[in-house]
């Protein structure tokens, strides 16, 4: 009888793992996935579409923009001066409850200054709150921040 119980548990665990991997394989795009695609296409409208109508972003080293129109305008100003080549977002963790999700991680944006042609990489970390609205995950609050400057090396005597 004990053997049958163990087999039942094993089958249940195998089904749970299979179901979990099926969900992961069919993962719905996050607001971060939307952002990456929009920013890499250098399209401010596509980036703004990743935010709720009343969404908020605090830009690194800058002020808050609230509302999809204001967010679009701020990204359009950035894209007027720079061409985004690549966005890497590494999610360190996330928690979700119902139609809300909180995520945190790091990012690196490789871009080119249109005026000088100089390429640079901006890196930092992010924390965001997403909400499922009309079947899509959208940023409600997005808070990226630059990595802190490197500490100067101390002189060794």
């Amino acid at each position: 009888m004990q053997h049958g119980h163990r087999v039942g548990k094993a089958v249940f665990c195998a089904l749970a793992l299979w179901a979990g991997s099926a969900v992961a394989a069919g993962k719905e795009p996050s607001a971060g996935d939307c952002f990456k695609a929009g920013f890499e296409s250098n399209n401010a409208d596509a980036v703004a579409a990743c935010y709720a109508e009343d969404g908020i972003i605090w830009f690194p080293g800058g002020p808050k923009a609230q509302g999809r129109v204001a967010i679009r305008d701020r990204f359009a100003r950035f894209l007027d001066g720079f061409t985004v080549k690549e966005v890497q977002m590494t999610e360190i963790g996330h928690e979700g409850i119902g139609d809300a999700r909180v995520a945190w991680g790091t990012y690196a944006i490789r871009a080119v200054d249109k005026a000088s042609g100089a390429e640079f990489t901006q890196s930092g970390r992010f924390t965001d709150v997403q909400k499922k609205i009309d079947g899509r995950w959208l940023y409600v609050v997005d808070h990226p921040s630059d990595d802190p400057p490197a500490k100067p090396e101390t002189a060794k005597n």
Side-chain angles (χ1 to χ4, degrees):
M1 195 68 170
Q2 204 58 322
H3 176 69
H5 187 60
R6 282 186 289 202
V7 169
K9 279 185 178 179
V11 168
F12 175 76
C13 287
L15 286 172
L17 287 172
W18 173 80
S21 60
V23 168
K27 176 186 161 235
E28 295 176 295
S30 69
D33 296 329
C34 175
F35 178 88
K36 177 179 170 36
F39 214 39
E40 286 181 343
S41 70
N42 290 277
N43 183 328
D45 291 320
V47 173
C50 305
Y51 291 80
E53 282 294 335
D54 59 349
I56 295 173
I57 181 172
W58 279 278
F59 286 93
K64 169 182 83 169
Q66 184 165 6
R68 194 176 281 164
V69 172
I71 291 167
R72 185 236 171 260
D73 291 348
R74 289 292 307 274
F75 278 110
R77 277 186 269 168
F78 177 85
L79 293 171
D80 282 345
F82 304 98
T83 300
V84 175
K85 295 293 188 180
E86 180 183 24
V87 176
Q88 294 178 336
M89 296 174 72
T90 304
E91 188 176 279
I92 294 172
H94 71 269
E95 291 290 330
I97 299 175
D99 66 350
R101 181 178 190 270
V102 177
W104 56 93
T106 60
Y107 69 87
I109 298 169
R110 190 169 55 87
V112 175
D113 183 313
K114 289 180 180 178
S116 70
E119 187 171 304
F120 64 94
T121 299
Q122 178 180 347
S123 60
R125 57 242 161 146
F126 68 87
T127 304
D128 65 56
V129 178
Q130 302 174 34
K131 186 170 184 174
K132 197 167 199 178
I133 301 171
D134 296 330
R136 294 181 53 224
W137 288 103
L138 299 174
Y139 288 125
V140 177
V141 177
D142 184 14
H143 192 193
S145 58
D146 290 335
D147 282 335
K151 291 182 181 179
E153 290 190 36
T154 57
K156 296 185 180 188
N157 298 3

